[in-house]
């Protein structure tokens, strides 16, 4: 089955065409600056780059389909070869605990969730509507970032606020990165040669956005992001957890609106705000090596919070069989993995420095004596979306 995977952001679109037989990526690429001017990058039979005007997601998807059919860099003879489209949808609210085939009701529910993810869900919907227009009759599937966490119990997903507010506005913890946490925990079970039903796993997705998830016997029972992806760890530009009173405090002192403060917490905080250097961990590490103290604090705080969250989840599950590291930083930075694992000796996890000297490759880097495994597992959200889409169609 050939499945087109689309990940629509507000001004970008990432895509992959995956053949589920053998799980090969046939083509992939990126549209950027949609609605501004338009930049296109495609890898199929050959590579192709161009500045092409893209007024909206429909334009972008039309360009993607043309590239897939192109004689030189395309990989398809006819668009009818695409069996289905799998969309990454960020927020499924309380509606979706698994992936679904897109219908009118599904679109309505995704629209309802726009208030919970105002930056993401409208873009996801645009992508869906564009595909309906450009590829009529091709089944479309929505795979939600939040769905995997719908198994969390009330003690994990509720906030301690008046119950009426929860009922009225559905304010509770939803969690994100679900497709990634699901993929890497399934891979972990395969690598450990144990059924999911016997494993307590802690998955650390550490990229620009970062979250930790406790997966007990195959189910997410807690995760660090909440109503929005702002909760939890410190991230590239997001503050993560803080005293909620700080919002009013900054608003008053800096004469800013609540929206402006929220913007600071989303875009100017995290390791960027702390270090003053960059949101990219590579730049911060470089700065730290040259003696930048604030960069050092940012890194220490980041690692410390990840370690504390792992500790919390080990407590929640009364132990853990493995800690998994994935996404940009988790997959590529042995330094950060080692710094986080420094805190985990009490769990029975010690790092084998030689094995930890690895990037982007599935590895167990715990010492042989460790009773908790430490795994690097490169995430593959697109493949997970392709699998779920194929399963639904079957
Ligand atoms: P997202 O998908 O959330 O944008 P990624 O998972 O691609 O993010 O992760 C991006 C982050 O990974 C970058 O900010 C960068 O700091 C970090 N990263 C990637 N490679 C390395 C590396 N070799 N060392 C340290 N950090 C890295």
């Amino acid at each position: 089955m050939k499945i087109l995977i689309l990940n629509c952001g507000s001004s970008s679109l990432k895509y992959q065409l995956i053949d589920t037989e053998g799980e090969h990526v046939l083509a992939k690429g990126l549209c950027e600056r949609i609605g501004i001017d338009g930049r296109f990058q495609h890898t199929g039979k050959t590579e192709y780059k161009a500045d092409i005007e893209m007024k909206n997601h429909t334009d972008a998807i039309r360009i993607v389909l043309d590239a897939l059919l192109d004689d030189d860099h395309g990989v398809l003879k006819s668009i009818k070869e695409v069996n289905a489209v799998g969309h990454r949808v960020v927020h499924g609210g309380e509606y979706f605990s698994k992936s679904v085939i897109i219908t009118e009701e599904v679109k309505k529910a995704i629209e309802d969730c726009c208030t919970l993810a105002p930056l993401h869900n409208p873009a996801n919907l645009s992508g869906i509507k564009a595909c309906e227009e450009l590829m009529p009759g091709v089944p479309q599937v929505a795979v939600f970032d939040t769905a995997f966490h719908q198994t969390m119990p009330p003690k994990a997903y509720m906030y301690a606020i008046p119950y009426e507010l929860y009922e009225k506005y559905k304010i509770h913890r939803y969690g994100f990165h679900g497709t990634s946490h699901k993929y890497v925990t399934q891979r972990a079970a395969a690598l450990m040669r144990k059924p999911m039903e016997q494993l307590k796993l802690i998955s650390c997705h550490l990229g620009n956005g970062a979250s930790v998830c406790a997966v007990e016997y195959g189910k997410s029972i807690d995760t660090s992001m909440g109503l929005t992806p702002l909760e939890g760890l410190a991230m590239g530009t997001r503050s993560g957890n803080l005293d909620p009173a700080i919002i009013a405090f900054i608003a008053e002192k800096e004469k800013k609106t609540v929206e402006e403060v929220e913007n600071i917490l989303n875009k100017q905080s995290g390791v960027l705000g702390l270090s003053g250097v960059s949101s990219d961990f590579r730049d911060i590490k470089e700065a730290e090596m040259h003696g930048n103290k604030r960069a050092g604090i940012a890194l220490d705080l980041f690692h410390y919070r990840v370690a504390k969250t792992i500790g919390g989840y080990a407590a929640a599950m009364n132990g853990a069989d493995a800690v998994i590291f994935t996404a940009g930083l988790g997959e590529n930075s042995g330094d950060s993995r080692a710094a986080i694992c420094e805190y985990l000796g009490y769990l029975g996890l010690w790092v084998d420095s030689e094995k930890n000297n690895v990037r982007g490759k599935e590895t167990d880097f715990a010492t042989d004596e460790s009773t908790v495994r430490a795994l690097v597992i490169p995430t593959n959200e697109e493949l997970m979306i392709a699998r779920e889409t194929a399963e639904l169609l079957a």
Side-chain angles (χ1 to χ4, degrees), residues 300-376:
D300 284 350
L301 178 144
F302 179 82
H303 298 143
Y304 178 62
R305 286 205 182 176
V306 176
K308 281 204 298 183
T309 311
I310 294 170
Y313 292 165
M317 297 190 288
N318 193 9
D321 297 296
V323 179
I324 304 160
F325 292 86
T326 194
L329 183 74
E331 291 168 24
N332 292 304
S333 174
D335 292 352
S336 279
R337 292 192 298 261
I340 293 163
C341 292
E342 278 272 301
Y343 293 97
L344 305 181
Y346 75 98
L347 270 180
L349 189 161
W350 295 279
V351 171
D352 181 322
S353 313
E354 222 161 275
K355 291 183 188 154
N356 186 34
N357 188 12
V358 68
R359 292 177 61 167
K361 210 174 106 211
E362 288 185 347
T363 310
D364 179 348
F365 64 94
T367 59
D368 292 341
E369 304 78 58
S370 295
T371 49
V372 174
R373 306 323 302 164
L375 306 174
V376 175

Side-chain angles (χ1 to χ4, degrees), residues 50-101:
D51 292 340
I52 315 178
E53 194 190 0
M54 303 174 195
K55 284 202 211 72
N56 49 41
H57 285 87
T58 310
D59 279 357
I61 293 172
R62 194 177 286 123
I63 288 161
V64 171
L65 298 181
D66 285 347
L68 292 174
L69 290 168
D70 190 87
D71 285 342
D72 292 330
H73 41 264
V75 290
L76 298 175
K77 294 227 155 42
S78 156
I79 215 63
K80 294 210 176 83
E81 288 174 52
V82 177
N83 299 94
V85 184
H87 293 267
R88 175 194 182 203
V89 180
V90 167
H91 219 304
E94 286 180 330
Y95 295 104
F96 304 106
S97 57
K98 44 172 132 31
S99 305
V100 288
I101 294 180

Side-chain angles (χ1 to χ4, degrees), residues 14 205-209 279-282 285 327-329 332-333 359:
K14 286 187 211 148
H205 178 111
L206 310 178
N208 246 324
S279 62
D280 191 306
F281 285 92
R282 286 164 289 200
K285 284 180 184 200
L329 183 74
N332 292 304
S333 174
R359 292 177 61 167

Side-chain angles (χ1 to χ4, degrees), residues 21 23 28-29 71 86 122 133 141 168 182 186 188 194 197-198 206 223 254 342 348 359-360 368:
E21 257 164 66
E23 304 195 322
K28 64 179 179 179
D71 285 342
E133 188 187 326
V141 165
K168 217 161 140 187
K182 187 172 178 182
Q186 284 184 356
K194 284 215 174 133
E197 295 68 31
Q198 288 175 18
L206 310 178
T223 191
E254 293 279 305
E342 278 272 301
R359 292 177 61 167
D368 292 341

Side-chain angles (χ1 to χ4, degrees), residues 162-171:
Y163 199 82
E164 299 71 39
L165 290 173
Y166 154 67
E167 288 182 314
K168 217 161 140 187
Y169 304 112
K170 301 177 184 167
I171 300 173

